Amino acid sequence: MKLPPLRAVQCFEVVARLHSFSKAALELNVTQSAVSHQVKILEDHLGENLFDRHGRAFSLSKVGARYFDEISCALMGLSNASAAIRYGKSDELRLALYSSLAMRWLIPRLEDFREQYPEINLTLNMVTDEPECNDNVADCFITIHPPKHHFVSQFLYAEKLYPVCGPKIWQQIQDKPLPDALWQHPLLSVQYNETYKSEPKDWQQWCARGGFNLPTEVKICHFSHVLLATEAARYDLGITLIDNYLMAEQAHQTNLVRIPMHALITGDKFYFVYKKTRHQHPDIVKLGNWLKLLCLPKD
């Protein structure tokens, strides 16, 4: 069955709803003659008059009234389905981000976001690997690898890793020369890349940044995730490297001590990412502005 032209159906629906060709033309941002032409196309397609015309006055015919009732729901469903893809679900805003950021950085601050924007139902989708930027995963994302096309990428911050340890280890090394005092304790290494599964790549790079070599006799403990290494450091099982943003939460600070040495700038940059078609989505705009303020350097 051949479907009627969608543009013609839309023009008819607006005319019938507003009871005016001129008002329909204004809403559709076209000329009145263009609206009349589209309605005529639809009537020819259906083989029925949709309006009873009386000079310049008109009213819906019986067929037109029935057709208007039936297509109004269909057009609303089409509009809602399109909006759900273009702007995301209206009843919630889904944010996908790395589990380490969610647990140690974002969740401790969500109370502030909800106090500022109680109307936004923000839900989190925590991922261990790079999130796939599509609607099945979330409406917006925090990632270090933003898509190159069809997405807006707002820079949040550049990653810097600092050495940290638990309070007991800190008591043992705080008055000793650095970095030599570090080598007396296990180094907790996070395997960010499967290629270097047996190498403490993070510590090797940190040492190179400081202008010295990692001693071969140092004990290395490998972890598959930064959260595991961080928890191990909190319980004085060794010294690890973590992002400064993961140290910012006050409750977390009480169990970790940042060792006063240089940072490793990894080159990874974090971005808030969403579809270009959603650049005017009010909830996404609010969330993006809040995240940018959260990432501003503290005095």
Side-chain angles (χ1 to χ4, degrees):
M1 179 179 178
K2 185 178 179 181
L3 295 175
L6 182 59
R7 183 60 172 172
V9 175
Q10 182 188 28
C11 286
F12 164 74
E13 187 275 335
V14 178
V15 172
R17 173 163 46 85
L18 298 180
H19 306 288
S20 170
F21 279 82
S22 59
K23 290 180 180 179
L26 289 173
E27 179 171 314
L28 295 169
N29 196 28
V30 296
T31 63
Q32 185 172 334
S33 60
V35 174
S36 298
H37 178 67
Q38 290 296 325
V39 171
K40 183 63 166 61
I41 289 176
L42 182 60
E43 289 179 323
D44 289 343
H45 176 85
L46 297 173
E48 293 282 353
N49 290 326
L50 299 175
F51 296 103
D52 290 330
R53 295 168 175 83
H54 313 283
R56 292 188 177 182
F58 70 92
S59 61
L60 281 169
S61 66
K62 290 183 179 180
V63 173
R66 186 176 73 249
Y67 190 67
F68 174 70
D69 289 339
E70 293 176 352
I71 61 97
S72 293
C73 292
L75 288 177
M76 181 60 69
L78 178 61
S79 176
N80 291 339
S82 300
I85 294 176
R86 183 176 177 86
Y87 298 115
K89 293 183 178 180
S90 58
D91 58 341
E92 67 176 359
L93 182 63
R94 302 168 298 156
L95 173 65
L97 72 166
Y98 305 110
S99 53
S100 55
L101 281 180
M103 296 294 293
R104 299 298 186 189
W105 179 62
L106 186 61
I107 289 178
R109 296 163 173 79
L110 277 185
E111 183 179 1
D112 174 72
F113 178 78
R114 288 174 176 170
E115 286 180 354
Q116 292 191 45
Y117 306 108
E119 74 280 6
I120 299 178
N121 180 18
L122 179 65
T123 61
L124 303 182
N125 179 9
M126 296 189 296
V127 296
T128 55
D129 298 317
E130 186 66 21
E132 185 177 355
C133 296
N134 64 54
D135 289 345
N136 292 327
V137 177
D139 305 306
C140 47
F141 311 82
I142 295 179
T143 176
I144 59 175
H145 297 296
K148 295 182 180 180
H149 305 289
H150 310 302
F151 281 81
V152 175
S153 301
Q154 296 180 353
F155 172 76
L156 294 178
Y157 72 93
E159 183 178 59
K160 297 180 181 179
L161 302 182
Y162 293 89
V164 299
C165 64
K168 289 183 180 179
I169 290 181
W170 174 242
Q171 289 179 1
Q172 298 174 30
I173 68 174
Q174 60 181 331
D175 297 324
K176 297 179 180 180
L178 297 172
D180 294 338
L182 304 185
W183 315 144
Q184 307 307 312
H185 300 273
L187 300 183
L188 314 179
S189 176
V190 179
Q191 304 305 313
Y192 293 99
N193 192 319
E194 286 292 325
T195 306
Y196 305 105
K197 194 168 185 178
S198 61
E199 297 183 38
K201 198 68 176 179
D202 48 354
W203 279 103
Q204 291 173 351
Q205 293 175 346
W206 181 82
C207 290
R209 177 77 177 178
F212 46 81
N213 294 321
L214 179 67
T216 56
E217 67 274 12
V218 173
K219 182 178 180 180
I220 304 293
C221 298
H222 298 281
F223 291 83
S224 62
H225 198 284
V226 64
L227 289 180
L228 297 176
T230 303
E231 286 301 299
R234 288 180 61 209
Y235 286 97
D236 297 295
L237 298 181
I239 302 169
T240 193
L241 296 166
I242 68 170
D243 194 314
N244 184 51
Y245 277 92
L246 303 187
M247 282 286 293
E249 199 263 309
Q250 186 62 38
H252 199 220
Q253 288 180 345
T254 60
N255 295 308
L256 282 177
V257 179
R258 176 176 160 182
I259 299 172
M261 295 195 69
H262 64 276
L264 169 62
I265 301 174
T266 65
D268 286 339
K269 297 179 180 179
F270 289 78
Y271 297 87
F272 178 58
V273 174
Y274 53 91
K275 281 185 176 181
K276 288 183 178 179
T277 55
R278 295 175 180 157
H279 74 284
Q280 293 182 331
H281 190 298
D283 291 352
I284 289 180
V285 172
K286 292 174 183 177
L287 176 59
N289 290 337
W290 182 79
L291 288 171
K292 286 189 290 185
L293 289 175
L294 204 62
C295 294
L296 288 178
K298 302 297 188 293
D299 295 333

